[in-house]
Amino acid sequence: MASTREIVFSVLLFGAMLSSCVPDSVRDAQHVVAKADSLWREGKMYGVDGGDSATLAQAYHTLSSSIILPSLQGGDGGRLLSCYHYGRLLRAKDNPVEAMQVFIDATHTRTRDYHILGRVYSNMGDICHLAGDFPLSYDMFERSADMFLKNGDTLNYYYALNDMAFELAEQGRKEETLKLVDSISSMCSDKEISPFITLTIAALYNNLYLYDSVLVVTRTASLGDHQHTASEYALKANALWKTNNKDSALTYAKFVMNLPNASKQDKYNMMFIIINGDSTLTNDEVIRLSGERSDIEFEILNPLHHKLTIAVELLKQDLNRKTDFQWLYAIIITTTIIGLIIGLYVRRKHRQHRLLSQQVDDLQNMNDAEIQRQEQIRHEHTEYTTSLALRIEKYCTILSQAEDFPNNIHWKDFDAMSKLINDNLGMLVIKLQSIYHLSEKEIRLCILVLIEDPSGTRLADLLCYAKSGIRNLKNRTASKLGTNSVELRNFLINLAIN
C-alpha cells in the first residue's frame, strides 16, 4: 500500500500533467467569465450589453468539461460563474430549457461561493414560478435563502424569503403567507423591499378573489410612482375592474401598457381591460388590439410556457436522481491507482452530459411538435370562424332582401321566428335567453340588428316604438350584453359563431 506522501504526490503530479495539457483554453475561458462578472456588477449582461454570446457559451463548455483539478484553478476554476452568467443569458434569450440545464450544472460544482449559488437557485425558482409549479418554486427560493444566509447576505436573504412568501400567495395559503411577510417586515428595515412585500400581499388577496383587499393594499400605488412594480399596477387594475371601477381600471391598464418593464403576461391581461372597457375605441382598433392579444397568447405565452414546463421537468429529473458515491469508496480502497479513478470519473461525467443533452434534444423535439400543432389549430380555428361569419352574413342578407321581409322570418310568431333563428344562426335566441336573460322585445331587437341593422325609423316601426325609445332600448340591450350599441351587431355575430 502506498504511503500518504506518495498518494498526495501522485495526485499533484497527475493534476499538473492535466493542467499543462489545456492551459490556454482554460485561461481564455476564465478571462471571458471574469469579463462577464465585471459587466454584471455594472448592471449589464455579457452577450447583450457587451461581448459575444457564443464566446460565453464556449467558455461555459470549456470550464464544464475541463478535467483540471479545482485546487489548481482556485475554487471551482470559474465554472460556477460561467454557469450563472451563461444561464442568465439563456433566460434573457427566452431559452429556459438550456438555462435550467446550466443552472442544474451549477448546483453540482461543489463550490462554497454561496452568494452565486443563492442567485442560481433564485433563477431556478423564477423558472418554476413562470411554469406555474409554485411548490417547486418555493423549494428553490428556500434553497436560495439558505445560501444567502450562509454567506451572511441578510438583505438578499429577506428578498428570498419574500419570494417564498409570494409562492405561498400564489397557492392561496393565506395564514402562512402573512406569517412569513410579518416576519420579514419585523426583521428587515430596508425600505427597498417594501414594494415587493406589497406585491406579495396583493397577489395573495387577488388569488383569494378578495379584490377590495387588493385595492386597500395597493392604495399607495399611484400613477407615475416608479417605486411600485408593473405587476402591482396590473393587480390594481384587475381589482378595479372586478369591483366595477372600470374607468379607473382602464387608466391603470393603459399605464401598465406603457411601462417598459411590464411583462408580456401583464400586457396580455391589461389588453382585455382596454378592449372591453374603452368605449372610445373604433371597431378597427378593437380588432387590431384583439389580434395583438391573440398573437401574444399563441406566439409568445403558450410556446414559452411549454418550454418552461420542459425546464421544470429537467429539474425534477435531477432532484429525483440518486447520486452514486461508490467511486468515493473505490478511491479510498484503491489509492495506488488514483489516475485510473480520475479517468473513470471524467468518463462518467461525460456520459451524464451526453444523457442530459439527449434528454434536452428529445424534449425540444416535443416542444417543436407542440408549437406546430398549436399553430395548425389556430389556423384552422381562424378559417372556421371566418367561414362561419361569412355564412351568417350571407344568410342575413338573403333574409333582409327578401320581398316578404319580415314575414319570411315569422315576425308575428315569436316561437316560429326563434326556431328559425336558432336553427340557422347558431342557437342565438337560446343564448340570449339563457345566458343574458333578455326579454322578447330585446331579442326581437337583436334579431333585427343582426339580420338587417336597419335605421332607427325602421326599428321603431317594426317594434312599435318611438324613434327616441328605440335608441334607449338599443343602448339598454347592448349594456345587458356587455357591449355598446355601435358594437352590438359584431357582438351578436360572435355570439352566434361561438
Side-chain angles (χ1 to χ4, degrees):
M1 184 70 69
S3 67
T4 302
R5 180 180 297 177
E6 290 173 333
I7 295 171
V8 172
F9 178 77
S10 299
V11 171
L12 292 176
L13 179 61
F14 191 73
M17 291 172 59
L18 292 174
S19 179
S20 64
C21 293
V22 287
D24 292 335
S25 61
V26 172
R27 276 196 290 270
D28 290 343
Q30 290 174 329
H31 177 75
V32 171
V33 172
K35 178 62 176 177
D37 197 58
S38 177
L39 284 172
W40 168 61
R41 296 182 187 281
E42 295 174 9
K44 300 177 182 179
M45 180 178 292
Y46 193 96
V48 176
D49 303 307
D52 178 43
S53 58
T55 304
L56 182 58
Q58 182 59 50
Y60 158 73
H61 289 295
T62 297
L63 295 175
S64 295
S65 60
S66 174
I67 59 175
I68 299 176
L69 294 179
S71 60
L72 298 177
Q73 300 181 45
D76 64 353
R79 180 183 172 193
L80 176 64
L81 279 175
S82 74
C83 292
Y84 174 62
H85 293 303
Y86 186 46
R88 288 178 66 244
L89 178 62
L90 290 169
R91 279 199 65 194
K93 293 182 177 297
D94 289 333
N95 193 346
V97 177
E98 290 189 28
M100 181 63 84
Q101 180 185 358
V102 172
F103 288 137
I104 290 172
D105 192 25
T107 64
H108 296 167
T109 56
R110 299 181 185 179
T111 180
R112 292 187 178 181
D113 191 342
Y114 298 123
H115 176 75
I116 296 299
L117 273 178
R119 292 185 175 275
V120 166
Y121 280 118
S122 180
N123 274 270
M124 296 167 79
D126 286 338
I127 293 174
C128 295
H129 171 82
L130 293 172
D133 195 331
F134 305 128
L136 185 56
S137 180
Y138 176 93
D139 182 48
M140 292 299 105
F141 285 127
E142 186 176 33
R143 297 186 187 204
S144 176
D146 290 341
M147 293 298 106
F148 288 132
L149 191 59
K150 284 184 178 181
N151 195 57
D153 189 346
T154 55
L155 181 58
N156 277 319
Y157 169 70
Y158 292 130
Y159 275 105
L161 288 184
N162 183 66
D163 289 333
M164 292 164 58
F166 194 90
E167 299 313 308
L168 293 173
E170 291 284 40
Q171 299 173 67
R173 295 162 66 175
K174 181 178 179 181
E175 294 182 2
E176 295 159 276
T177 302
L178 295 179
K179 182 179 179 181
L180 187 51
V181 166
D182 289 341
S183 175
I184 299 169
S185 299
S186 64
M187 293 186 297
C188 182
S189 59
D190 195 295
K191 300 299 182 183
E192 292 183 1
I193 200 173
S194 296
F196 298 94
I197 293 176
T198 299
L199 177 61
T200 296
I201 300 174
L204 170 65
Y205 290 134
N206 182 70
N207 289 320
L208 294 174
Y209 309 107
L210 301 175
Y211 301 113
D212 288 330
S213 297
V214 174
L215 294 177
V216 171
V217 172
T218 60
R219 64 184 179 275
T220 59
S222 56
L223 296 178
D225 185 355
H226 294 288
Q227 290 182 338
H228 301 276
T229 64
S231 294
E232 185 178 343
Y233 287 119
L235 284 173
K236 185 168 186 177
N238 179 67
L240 288 166
W241 180 264
K242 295 293 186 180
T243 54
N244 209 31
N245 296 303
K246 297 191 174 181
D247 289 341
S248 297
L250 181 61
T251 300
Y252 276 87
K254 290 181 176 179
F255 180 74
V256 172
M257 291 296 294
N258 291 322
L259 290 177
N261 60 341
S263 67
K264 291 294 184 182
Q265 184 65 58
D266 284 338
K267 289 186 176 182
Y268 174 81
N269 295 335
M270 294 303 97
M271 281 184 174
F272 174 84
I273 295 176
I274 294 173
I275 291 170
N276 293 278
D278 192 347
S279 59
T280 65
L281 293 176
T282 64
N283 185 43
D284 288 343
E285 289 173 331
V286 169
I287 293 174
R288 177 181 59 79
L289 283 173
S290 297
E292 290 178 2
R293 187 169 185 265
S294 179
D295 288 342
I296 291 176
E297 178 182 8
F298 287 98
E299 296 180 9
I300 299 177
L301 296 180
N302 286 352
L304 179 58
H305 186 268
H306 189 70
K307 292 180 182 178
L308 291 165
T309 302
I310 295 173
V312 169
E313 286 302 316
L314 276 179
L315 176 58
K316 289 179 178 179
Q317 289 178 22
D318 183 76
L319 293 174
N320 293 328
R321 179 172 54 87
K322 295 182 179 180
T323 306
D324 184 9
F325 293 103
Q326 291 184 0
W327 63 273
L328 291 175
Y329 302 110
I331 290 178
I332 297 173
I333 297 172
T334 61
T335 54
T336 57
I337 54 172
I338 185 66
L340 177 61
I341 295 299
I342 293 175
L344 292 173
Y345 173 75
V346 170
R347 190 163 66 241
R348 180 172 175 269
K349 291 292 289 183
H350 278 258
R351 187 164 58 249
Q352 288 177 344
H353 270 295
R354 288 196 299 271
L355 177 60
L356 196 55
S357 297
Q358 182 61 46
Q359 291 173 338
V360 171
D361 290 339
D362 292 341
L363 292 172
Q364 190 63 51
N365 290 335
M366 292 169 56
N367 175 54
D368 294 338
E370 178 63 19
I371 292 175
Q372 185 176 4
R373 188 182 71 83
Q374 290 182 0
E375 185 61 29
Q376 181 64 27
I377 291 174
R378 179 187 172 196
H379 178 70
E380 292 175 356
H381 178 71
T382 301
E383 287 187 342
Y384 171 76
T385 55
T386 301
S387 174
L388 198 54
L390 290 174
R391 193 180 74 181
I392 289 174
E393 291 278 10
K394 183 177 181 180
Y395 183 75
C396 291
T397 300
I398 292 172
L399 291 177
S400 64
Q401 293 181 357
E403 293 181 359
D404 57 344
F405 181 83
N407 294 329
N408 62 330
I409 63 170
H410 311 293
W411 179 251
K412 296 181 179 181
D413 186 342
F414 182 75
D415 291 338
M417 180 175 62
S418 297
K419 185 178 186 307
L420 176 69
I421 297 303
N422 285 331
D423 291 344
N424 294 280
L425 294 177
M427 309 301 289
L428 180 63
V429 175
I430 290 178
K431 292 175 183 177
L432 293 173
Q433 290 173 329
S434 60
I435 300 175
Y436 298 99
H437 309 294
L438 297 191
S439 65
E440 178 179 335
K441 183 71 70 177
E442 292 165 337
I443 291 174
R444 286 180 176 274
L445 170 68
C446 289
I447 291 172
L448 289 177
V449 169
L450 177 61
I451 292 177
E452 192 181 21
D453 195 18
S455 65
T457 302
R458 176 78 170 181
L459 282 172
D461 292 339
L462 291 173
L463 293 171
C464 300
Y465 258 70
K467 188 172 182 179
S468 60
I470 282 295
R471 184 165 51 253
N472 292 334
L473 175 62
K474 193 173 183 180
N475 289 334
R476 188 169 62 252
T477 303
S479 178
K480 277 189 176 183
L481 296 175
T483 184
N484 55 61
S485 59
V486 175
E487 294 298 321
L488 180 55
R489 189 166 188 272
N490 288 334
F491 178 88
L492 292 172
I493 290 175
N494 290 330
L495 184 61
I497 291 173
N498 295 313

